[in-house]
Amino acid sequence: MKKKVLQTNKGFSLIELLVTITVALILTFIAIPTFYDITTLSRTEAIQDEIIGALRFARYNAMINNRQIIVCRSSNNKTCDNTSDWNGEWIIFEDYDYSNSCNSPDGITCSDGGKILGVRGGFSNTIKVTKNNKIRNFIKFNPMGEAPGYPCTFSICSSNGEIAKGVTLSMIGRVRKRISNEAINCPK
């Protein structure tokens, strides 16, 4: 007598496959917004650190070189722009003639003889960097490293305004991160 061998099904049924795909889709739709928030938070923190680094670099150069150093927004890396939108690039330069401006034909040396020390910025379009109304279109550090008359706050905000970071510059030249319980104004 022959023994009957039971055949086992080695695949998935259509119902099992549909249930697995449905669970995977639900988990994906839960994870995508969280992943977006994590990457946006990471970008805002990186921009916050870059702003702090640029301002500290300018302050350090003012003290070490015993010169007035200016930080300003620049669309062409040669001259300062008059705007509150600091999303673009910035130039950091020595201001030999105390004119608070740099007109650089070559992008290396200002017309007064001061050097462009650095170009920073060029931030993501999904992050908005603005400064408060108290600040002019530039920041000036004197040879003592102070920023007299230039206290300001930078707001770094996600495009929806839900994630916000800040940087504060005091008149004595201290640069610090805004703490989470301080109000940060994000344009909507």
Side-chain angles (χ1 to χ4, degrees):
M1 177 177 251
K2 288 186 171 180
K3 290 184 181 178
K4 287 189 174 181
V5 179
L6 293 174
Q7 288 185 340
T8 58
N9 191 357
K10 296 184 180 182
F12 295 106
S13 71
L14 182 60
I15 293 175
E16 291 172 328
L17 188 60
L18 288 174
V19 167
T20 304
I21 290 173
T22 304
V23 169
L25 284 173
I26 290 170
L27 291 176
T28 301
F29 286 119
I30 291 171
I32 287 175
T34 305
F35 179 72
Y36 172 79
D37 288 346
I38 290 170
T39 56
T40 303
L41 178 63
S42 176
R43 284 186 192 130
T44 55
E45 288 176 346
I47 291 169
Q48 181 184 39
D49 290 340
E50 186 167 350
I51 291 169
I52 289 171
L55 295 175
R56 287 182 177 163
F57 173 79
R59 182 178 189 223
Y60 170 79
N61 274 283
M63 292 186 299
I64 216 69
N65 296 325
N66 199 30
R67 297 212 186 285
Q68 179 169 287
I69 303 293
I70 304 289
V71 180
C72 69
R73 164 76 168 84
S74 177
S75 56
N76 61 9
N77 300 335
K78 297 177 183 180
T79 59
C80 293
D81 297 340
N82 188 13
T83 180
S84 65
D85 175 12
W86 282 59
N87 265 12
E89 294 184 339
W90 309 359
I91 55 174
I92 303 167
F93 61 92
E94 298 173 327
D95 187 20
Y96 280 15
D97 65 359
Y98 296 91
S99 65
N100 302 326
S101 65
C102 175
N103 186 5
S104 175
D106 59 3
I108 298 170
T109 307
C110 298
S111 58
D112 67 356
K115 291 183 237 164
I116 293 181
L117 301 173
V119 176
R120 303 281 176 98
F123 306 125
S124 165
N125 290 338
T126 60
I127 307 293
K128 183 86 172 149
V129 179
T130 56
K131 60 181 174 44
N132 66 353
N133 294 334
K134 296 177 186 173
I135 184 174
R136 298 174 182 107
N137 63 334
F138 58 89
I139 299 168
K140 179 182 358 183
F141 289 96
N142 67 22
M144 298 288 291
E146 301 166 334
Y150 296 89
C152 68
T153 300
F154 287 93
S155 298
I156 305 125
C157 303
S158 61
S159 56
N160 60 9
E162 291 179 7
I163 297 175
K165 298 287 178 184
V167 174
T168 299
L169 172 66
S170 71
M171 290 198 319
I172 61 170
R174 180 178 177 237
V175 181
R176 68 175 179 85
K177 292 182 178 184
R178 300 282 304 266
I179 55 177
S180 60
N181 64 353
E182 292 180 288
I184 298 172
N185 297 325
C186 288
K188 297 284 182 182

